[in-house]
Amino acid sequence: MAGRAGEGPRHPALQGDGWAERLLDHLRPGARDPRRVVAWLAGAVQGTGCLQDADGSLLAGTPMSLDPGLVADVVAGRISAAAVQDGDRHLRLVAVRAQDPRPGAAGLLAVARATPFDRRAADIVTHTAGVVELLLRERELTTAGHRLRRAAADLRLAILQLLMVEDTVSARRVAAGLWPGLLDTDSACVYIVEGHPAERDGLAEDCLDMTHGQALVVRCPAMDGHVIVLSPAPATAQRLRSLVDGRPGTFLGGSVRQSLAQTSTAYGQAVSALAVARFRPDQAAVYAERTHPERLMDPGALHAWSAAVLRPLDTLPHHTRAELLATTRLGLEFTAVSAAKVLGVSRNTVRARMDRVETLLGADFSDLTVRAAAHLALNTQAALTEELAATVSTAPRPSGVRLGDLLAGPALRAWAHDLLDRLDRDGRDLRGTLRAWIAAGGNAERAAHGLGVHAQTVREHVRGAEPVLERQLLAAGTDLYEVVLAHLALGDLAVPALLRANPGQPDSPVHE
């Protein structure tokens, strides 16, 4: 069909009212793309289209040369649209407005074609600018939403890191503005939900939804598949259990209730429970579900021994002492790299702090028995609440308590027998291999040399002992240290000398 004189042939897209419906189709979910809209516009008016932001950067379409002064007037808001002829081109420039009430525009939509714009072509350009504006606003909101969620996630991690170093005052101050009431508590539980790393973002969102704002949900900075949940609400445990129930490859480990200052201890307990959960049919476990050696020791004697072991740190400023203790607890529980990620510091900082504690304690952390003893002392100190401290202080105070005394109790020896005797049911000498591996500081090559076997055999035996003991051994931490204490209690390994002598005090006693 021929057009009016001077207008040239009419494009099918401009015949009838179908163009409006086709333009609106670009607002459907899944079709919202400014580039597709500009491409459609170019075809609809038989020309070329160009969308650029307020700085002149191309967002969509075909680059075109435009009068800088005219562009500046449109973008600055001095004019909202312009129609000009530039040689053999006919141009329409329309401002794409910003979401906020700035006088300027967010961008510019320019269309060029060989023939003048009739009424319908001009309408298409104007209405397309409105659709593009909506799409750009949606993109801005989506981007802002991502930034907000990222900022919230960073704040949650910062709060957790403050709690890890016992800075509960700062943690509460940071949390109060965004999550009022969340940390208005003296104690909480820590849970770890483990899933496939690729699905962690969705798992974290599920944890946020299920805890209804009653928990601090953090993507673990050290383990890609872990989501850490700290919550004072008793209902959280059951909600998280229902989350992992029947969900293949997803596991839940939880701590006992701890004071906020003991968050690092609770985190270690949750990791330990997670190792047990991997062997459970319901894929969940809580740290309190099994007996632990420190509970079978005399509380007064245990705390007296721990206080004596850690006394060299008592002269330090409170903040420095707390920082060193928290870092060393995590460093003994995990690798230096993982501890650094959890605390938000460098691994060199973690190593430097642990080296300082080693020096102060006169300890050798390369020895697994020493690590187990230090771990026991540090966690005993961390668990010392004001109530318990008052009870212990009023009880008769044992003098010269040694680690060997703590391990000699009949209840603890019975526990150790029950634990390690499980290994005897296996046809392989798991117990002998495990003992040699611990004595070699967890080094498979050295243990293999002493046993006269291949290092891979040692690793397989240690790995085979894990489901029997329901404890994770190859990753150093609470599980391994409990097994080490069981060997010490039965005399299968020599009790270590944790403190040899305090610097500057040559006559100070040796605590074993």
Side-chain angles (χ1 to χ4, degrees), residues 39 419 445 495:
L419 178 65
E445 284 75 15
V495 176

Side-chain angles (χ1 to χ4, degrees), residues 183-492:
L183 296 183
D184 290 349
T185 178
D186 293 327
S187 60
C189 291
V190 171
Y191 306 91
I192 297 176
V193 185
E194 180 184 66
H196 193 278
E199 300 171 354
R200 183 171 68 164
D201 286 348
L203 192 60
E205 292 300 323
D206 289 342
C207 291
L208 283 168
D209 291 341
M210 296 200 76
T211 52
H212 307 301
Q214 295 180 304
L216 185 69
V217 178
V218 178
R219 292 165 178 80
C220 180
M223 301 297 292
D224 290 341
H226 289 186
V227 177
I228 303 169
V229 181
L230 181 145
S231 175
T236 298
Q238 190 53 46
R239 288 172 180 164
L240 294 177
R241 280 182 181 270
S242 67
L243 177 64
V244 304
D245 186 31
R247 195 167 178 166
T250 308
F251 306 95
L252 171 67
S255 74
V256 298
R257 199 170 187 88
Q258 299 279 9
S259 70
L260 289 182
Q262 294 172 243
T263 296
S264 64
T265 299
Y267 175 65
Q269 290 179 348
V271 171
S272 180
L274 187 63
V276 177
R278 297 189 187 103
F279 306 114
R280 292 285 181 87
D282 61 353
Q283 302 165 206
V286 175
Y287 187 78
E289 290 177 353
R290 74 186 193 208
T291 302
H292 300 282
E294 65 272 16
R295 299 182 185 179
L296 302 174
M297 300 176 185
D298 175 77
L302 175 60
H303 285 91
W305 171 80
S306 299
V309 167
L310 300 177
R311 190 165 294 134
L313 282 77
D314 291 347
T315 58
L316 300 174
H318 174 75
H319 176 74
T320 302
R321 181 178 185 275
E323 190 174 66
L324 291 178
L325 291 176
T327 302
T328 304
R329 280 202 304 273
L330 282 174
L332 291 175
E333 197 76 43
F334 310 102
T335 65
V337 173
S338 295
K341 289 178 179 178
V342 170
L343 292 171
V345 297
S346 72
R347 61 184 177 182
N348 288 336
T349 298
V350 170
R351 291 189 178 114
R353 291 175 183 175
M354 292 186 69
D355 287 346
R356 186 176 181 186
V357 172
E358 266 189 298
T359 301
L360 287 169
L361 299 186
D364 177 12
F365 286 164
S366 66
D367 185 328
L368 273 180
T369 61
V370 172
R371 289 173 72 92
H375 183 267
L376 175 63
L378 288 165
N379 281 282
T380 299
Q381 185 274 342
L384 189 61
T385 62
E386 290 184 11
E387 241 178 70
L388 183 56
T391 304
V392 172
S393 65
T394 56
R397 188 180 181 85
S399 59
V401 180
R402 296 173 180 268
L403 179 58
D405 301 328
L406 297 174
L407 299 172
L412 185 65
R413 288 178 59 82
W415 165 82
H417 272 298
D418 179 67
L419 178 65
L420 297 184
D421 285 353
R422 301 179 201 173
L423 297 171
D424 297 334
R425 301 166 197 162
D426 194 286
R428 301 165 293 178
D429 185 16
L430 298 184
R431 188 162 179 171
T433 303
L434 184 57
R435 180 174 61 249
W437 179 74
I438 292 172
N443 185 288
E445 284 75 15
R446 286 206 304 270
H449 181 74
L451 293 170
V453 299
H454 196 278
Q456 187 58 32
T457 301
V458 173
R459 295 187 189 96
E460 288 174 358
H461 281 199
V462 175
R463 193 175 290 111
E466 290 185 326
V468 177
L469 300 175
E470 288 192 330
R471 283 162 171 81
Q472 197 172 19
L473 303 175
L474 289 170
T478 298
D479 285 2
L480 173 59
Y481 300 140
E482 288 186 356
V483 174
V484 172
L485 291 178
H487 281 83
L488 296 177
L490 297 181
D492 290 354

Side-chain angles (χ1 to χ4, degrees), residues 3-53:
R4 289 175 294 186
E7 291 183 359
R10 295 285 298 277
H11 190 274
L14 303 183
Q15 297 176 19
D17 296 325
W19 67 266
E21 286 76 11
R22 286 191 289 275
L23 176 58
L24 292 176
D25 278 345
H26 289 282
L27 293 175
R28 289 184 294 104
R32 299 170 181 172
D33 185 348
R35 293 170 299 182
R36 293 178 58 184
V37 175
V38 174
W40 173 87
L41 170 63
V45 300
Q46 287 187 292
T48 56
C50 170
L51 175 64
Q52 59 186 42
D53 63 18

